[in-house]
Amino acid sequence: MALNPYFQQGTTNEQNLVQDLINEQLRMYGIDVYYIPRKYVTQNTVIKEVIQSTFDDAYPLEAYVKSEVYEGAGILLSKFGVQQQDDITIIISRERWETYIEPLITNEANIKLATRPKGGDLIYFPLDDRLYEIKFFEYALSLIHI
C-alpha cells in the first residue's frame, strides 16, 4: 500500500488544513464555554500558597466535551460537608487559544501563565449554569480535565 501522492505528509499548508478541520469540528459538535483566568492578588512567598485570587474576565471559547457523562466520585458526604467530585474532559483548539485568548491575557497583571490554561482557572458552562475549576491541562492534545 503506497502513500497518497497528492499529500506531502507534513507541509505547512496540510497542517493548516488539518487545523482548520479541527476548528470546524469544534464549532459544529462543541459547545460554547467561557474561560475565566485566575489572577493572583496575594501569594505566600515561602510555600507559594495562593491566599487571594480574583476572577475578573471571561472569554468565550468553543470546546468539545470528550466525556459523555460526568465522571469522578460524584457527591460525597465528608466531615467537611457535602462535596461534589464530578469531573469532565473537554478539548479546545490550540490554534484558537494562541490567536484569540493568549494575546488578550498576555499583558494582564497578576496572570502567571498566558500560553495555556492552567490549574486553578475556571470554565463556565452557560448551558447548564455550572462553573468548573481546571485541575489538569494536557498540552499535547489540548485536553482540559475539570
Side-chain angles (χ1 to χ4, degrees):
M1 187 163 126
L3 294 176
N4 189 333
Y6 299 106
F7 289 94
Q8 313 259 313
Q9 306 301 325
T11 64
T12 304
N13 288 335
E14 288 177 8
Q15 291 174 356
N16 291 339
L17 172 66
V18 171
Q19 183 63 54
D20 290 342
L21 290 172
I22 290 170
N23 291 344
E24 185 176 346
Q25 292 275 323
L26 285 172
R27 288 186 189 108
M28 287 182 359
Y29 301 113
I31 61 170
D32 288 327
V33 299
Y34 288 90
Y35 170 73
I36 306 170
R38 179 183 195 174
K39 294 182 181 176
Y40 298 94
V41 176
T42 309
Q43 188 172 1
N44 187 336
T45 56
V46 176
I47 59 174
K48 303 294 184 194
E49 178 186 23
V50 178
I51 298 171
Q52 184 180 9
S53 299
T54 61
F55 299 93
D56 299 332
D57 302 317
Y59 303 100
L61 186 66
E62 56 274 348
Y64 177 75
V65 179
K66 185 177 177 192
S67 45
E68 294 180 9
V69 296
Y70 291 112
E71 301 167 346
I75 298 174
L76 298 174
L77 183 60
S78 69
K79 64 181 179 180
F80 301 110
V82 178
Q83 297 178 349
Q84 186 135 1
Q85 298 286 327
D86 290 336
D87 61 314
I88 61 173
T89 302
I90 65 173
I91 299 172
I92 63 168
S93 168
R94 183 184 303 168
E95 184 263 341
R96 179 90 163 113
W97 177 273
E98 291 171 351
T99 59
Y100 173 62
I101 299 217
E102 185 178 340
L104 292 174
I105 65 174
T106 297
N107 296 326
E108 288 278 333
N110 301 327
I111 291 183
K112 297 285 184 191
L113 181 65
T115 57
R116 63 177 176 83
K118 59 196 170 305
D121 294 344
L122 302 177
I123 300 285
Y124 174 68
F125 282 73
L127 189 62
D128 59 352
D129 197 31
R130 286 191 178 196
L131 191 64
Y132 292 93
E133 180 183 356
I134 297 175
K135 297 292 184 185
F136 175 73
F137 177 75
E138 189 174 334
Y139 189 72
L141 301 174
S142 296
L143 295 177
I144 299 177
H145 301 278
I146 51 179

